[in-house]
Amino acid sequence: MKHIIYFLIPVFLLMACGPQERVSKSVFEEVNKAMEAKKLSDAQITQEAMIWGDSISTEAQRLLMGSLHKAVEEKGFEGALEFCNINASPILSELDEKYGVTVRRTSTRARNKTNLPTEEELPILEAYQYNVENGIKNESNIQGIDGGEVLLYTKAIVVSSEFCLSCHGDPTNDIQETVLRRIDSLYAEDLARNFEIGNLRGMWSLKIPKRAVVNRL
Ligand code: HEC
């Protein structure tokens, strides 16, 4: 965690003198009023958002992995690819609606290019990557964005088993030829191969509006 904080300091600084003015005054006032009424401090909100982020990302992971395992059992790896291609994003959108937060996965080596990192996400992914390479345990992270009105919660995703390698591993040894051909036809710019067990695969990235946290408390 120490190292993550160290790496994220420049981001905090940039944000502090960045988009503050762009956040509408009324949103700020509304959140502040609600915080005052409920006697909540910024620290409490951040702590609550961290707990909430952990729980939503765990639910998201379970949902995705549950459906993925089922799809592989029913249709094999090739069929499951199609399943991921069509269903990964809608499964996560359902959580967006359920909780009023934005849930996504991002990676510098993404299969689906819509999962490539934003400017805000990239330094965090780099910090997680540094930690994995140096044997430092990754912890979830939370930081303010959009002038502090939104909290960005992140959690590292590591390649946990050979199961992942069947679609994200070495194309000559781990991925079946038919599966590889299907990946190539669905994702012309695929970067999500050649991973090994223990590598950083990407991270969960949740945008949690402060307002949503205050409303829950
Ligand atoms: C059946 C093949 C298959 C298996 C097995 C599989 N994945 Fe994927 N994975 C995909 C596909 C296809 C996508 C792109 C989904 C999309 O279009 O949104 C993807 C996307 C991802 C992403 C989002 C970033 C990106 O690359 O677009 C992460 C993170 C990820 N997988 C992690 C894992 C992990 C961890 C495992 C093992 C627990 C795993 N995957 C197992 C096929 C697979």
Side-chain angles (χ1 to χ4, degrees):
M1 189 64 201
K2 251 190 220 150
H3 287 259
I4 294 180
I5 289 170
Y6 173 72
F7 272 88
L8 296 180
I9 284 169
V11 188
F12 277 119
L13 291 180
L14 277 180
M15 309 241 158
C17 41
Q20 192 88 11
E21 298 78 15
R22 270 185 267 139
V23 178
S24 90
K25 221 176 143 208
S26 61
V27 170
F28 253 130
E29 279 168 3
E30 188 196 315
V31 174
N32 280 343
K33 254 193 216 151
M35 280 171 69
E36 266 170 37
K38 295 188 179 179
K39 298 198 174 19
L40 295 168
S41 68
D42 257 332
Q44 277 171 303
I45 291 179
T46 307
Q47 194 185 14
E48 181 64 22
M50 186 68 140
I51 296 168
W52 204 22
D54 275 333
S55 122
I56 297 175
S57 57
T58 303
E59 180 179 351
Q61 176 83 14
R62 278 210 197 107
L63 276 176
L64 275 190
M65 282 304 137
S67 345
L68 176 60
H69 277 280
K70 194 158 165 266
V72 170
E73 268 165 36
E74 284 170 5
K75 309 172 209 193
F77 284 101
E78 200 187 334
L81 274 177
E82 207 107 8
F83 174 87
C84 291
N85 176 247
I86 297 168
N87 294 297
S89 168
I91 288 175
L92 298 182
S93 303
E94 275 179 35
L95 289 178
D96 290 7
E97 278 178 36
K98 184 169 164 193
Y99 296 115
V101 305
T102 314
V103 182
R104 76 183 213 113
R105 296 177 301 172
T106 176
S107 172
T108 50
R109 289 163 64 186
R111 173 146 294 164
N112 186 328
K113 60 181 177 184
T114 65
N115 294 333
L116 284 167
T118 61
E119 259 177 49
E120 285 151 351
E121 292 166 332
L122 182 61
I124 308 174
L125 271 171
E126 285 172 347
Y128 285 146
Q129 179 69 27
Y130 174 92
N131 287 351
V132 166
E133 282 171 11
N134 291 281
I136 300 160
K137 192 176 179 292
N138 272 320
E139 310 275 354
S140 326
N141 186 69
I142 198 146
Q143 64 187 65
I145 55 167
D146 295 348
E149 199 234 327
V150 174
L151 294 164
L152 179 65
Y153 165 94
T154 57
K155 183 162 80 183
I157 303 173
V158 170
V159 177
S160 52
S161 66
E162 281 182 17
F163 178 72
C164 315
L165 299 186
S166 310
C167 295
H168 294 297
D170 176 353
T172 43
N173 291 317
D174 302 319
I175 308 178
Q176 293 163 14
E177 220 183 294
T178 47
V179 175
L180 192 61
R181 274 203 295 269
R182 199 79 200 103
I183 295 174
D184 285 337
S185 72
L186 288 170
Y187 303 95
E189 294 167 57
D190 176 44
L191 300 171
R193 52 182 76 181
N194 284 311
F195 281 96
E196 292 172 14
I197 293 176
N199 286 167
L200 182 77
R201 176 65 192 84
M203 68 180 190
W204 286 102
S205 172
L206 277 60
K207 279 190 183 178
I208 308 181
K210 251 189 187 174
R211 190 170 11 182
V213 182
V214 174
N215 289 343
R216 280 183 91 228
L217 287 167

